[in-house]
Amino acid sequence: KQWYQRRVVITAGVTCLIVETLPEIKLMVSDNSSREYKILFTLDTICVGFFTFDLIARGVTAPDKKGFLTSLMSWLDFLAILPYFVLLFTKESNNTIEILRVLRLARVLRVFKLVRRSKKLLLIAHVMKKSTSELSLLVMVWLMAVVVFGSFLYYAENGKNENITSILGACWWAVATMSTVGYGDVYPKTTWGKVIGTVVVFLSMIFLALPLTIIVSTFSKTYRARKCLTADDNTDEDDDDEEEKDDANGPVSVT
């Protein structure tokens, strides 16, 4: 029940952050005396108050204070509420406007509070941790391919394509193509450039498929292992309940 209450508050806080960036709402809340500003400010204050109380309560009741203070999730929780108090006591000016924008962005860290109590999200994080070697291999191969094919495309299109003026610009094309997104802002125009693009599209599927297959396999194994562990725990609890019932009923007489 407490977890569902946290989920409602977290959702409300993130919703306020999203709604206040809508152009029509942004114009309304620019006036601190407007009704819309007061509504959003009140909702945000309630959410921050809940998060602050939750963080302090967990810190006070934590058996391992050092572990709590060094926990990544604890720092994310702190950074999620920090912008509210800084913005509350800071006036916006030309010198502070960029800092305030970064602080407003930090409010989106509230969404990470959903990870703490969600077993499925924790399972994904555990799988990603176990697949660190596969992910590092994927990143290394991907970066090598981006640099190599970006360089090939630059020399194939040099002087013939106004959109590709450097290897770095060609690497951006390689990133968009290898991720199978293909924005279309940069594309090859020469014959050799199109050949390179065809090769990149074909190889990108292989580069992505091989490590992802290993990650999916790791996820499947971890999920089955945790499911079996949960089933065993439930079985043990059922056996304990049956033993308690037998003890309460007393010994069975045999006639």
Side-chain angles (χ1 to χ4, degrees):
K1 185 177 179 180
Q2 293 179 352
W3 162 232
Y4 285 109
Q5 291 174 351
R6 287 189 178 93
R7 183 180 293 181
V8 170
V9 177
I10 293 168
T11 303
V14 175
T15 302
C16 289
L17 174 64
I18 296 173
V19 168
E20 70 179 22
T21 60
L22 296 174
E24 55 274 16
I25 302 297
K26 190 175 183 179
L27 181 62
M28 295 177 183
V29 300
S30 59
D31 183 10
N32 294 353
S33 60
S34 64
R35 182 173 64 91
E36 290 78 9
Y37 172 83
K38 292 179 180 178
I39 292 174
L40 288 177
F41 180 77
T42 302
L43 290 175
D44 195 36
T45 301
I46 294 173
C47 294
V48 171
F50 180 88
F51 297 147
T52 304
F53 175 79
D54 179 68
L55 181 62
I56 294 174
R58 287 190 291 108
V60 171
T61 58
D64 183 8
K65 297 294 190 298
K66 184 178 180 181
F68 175 80
L69 293 175
T70 57
S71 171
L72 175 61
M73 293 304 300
S74 298
W75 279 100
L76 288 176
D77 291 343
F78 174 73
L79 292 176
I81 63 175
L82 178 63
Y84 173 85
F85 296 102
V86 175
L87 294 172
L88 187 63
F89 299 104
T90 304
K91 292 183 178 180
E92 189 169 307
S93 63
N94 294 332
N95 296 328
T96 61
I97 188 169
E98 294 298 330
I99 299 175
L100 295 180
R101 285 178 180 174
V102 174
L103 289 174
R104 288 192 181 100
L105 178 62
R107 292 162 60 192
V108 80
L109 295 175
R110 296 174 186 175
V111 75
F112 286 103
K113 290 176 175 289
L114 295 171
V115 178
R116 181 183 292 107
R117 300 285 180 175
S118 177
K119 293 182 179 180
K120 293 181 180 179
L121 292 177
L122 289 174
L123 176 62
I124 294 175
H126 180 69
V127 171
M128 298 298 286
K129 185 177 180 180
K130 289 184 65 176
S131 305
T132 303
S133 59
E134 290 81 7
L135 289 173
S136 60
L137 174 63
L138 172 63
V139 172
M140 183 179 65
V141 173
W142 187 76
L143 288 176
M144 290 172 57
V146 165
V147 174
V148 171
F149 289 112
S151 301
F152 285 171
L153 186 71
Y154 169 74
Y155 287 108
E157 302 279 315
N158 189 21
K160 303 174 185 177
N161 192 334
E162 64 278 4
N163 293 324
I164 301 176
T165 58
S166 65
I167 292 180
L168 187 62
C171 286
W172 164 245
W173 164 84
V175 169
T177 304
M178 292 190 64
S179 60
T180 67
V181 176
Y183 289 111
D185 55 341
V186 180
Y187 55 90
K189 294 182 178 180
T190 64
T191 301
W192 281 111
K194 293 177 181 179
V195 171
I196 294 171
T198 303
V199 174
V200 170
V201 171
F202 176 75
L203 292 180
S204 64
M205 293 185 289
I206 300 176
F207 290 156
L208 292 175
L210 291 177
L212 289 179
T213 302
I214 300 174
I215 295 172
V216 171
S217 176
T218 304
F219 177 84
S220 179
K221 293 178 181 178
T222 306
Y223 178 77
R224 285 198 301 266
R226 294 210 170 186
K227 194 172 182 180
C228 293
L229 182 61
T230 304
D232 292 339
D233 292 340
N234 293 335
T235 302
D236 293 339
E237 290 178 0
D238 294 338
D239 292 340
D240 293 339
D241 292 340
E242 291 180 0
E243 290 179 359
E244 290 177 0
K245 290 179 181 180
D246 292 339
D247 294 338
N249 295 330
V252 179
S253 60
V254 180
T255 55

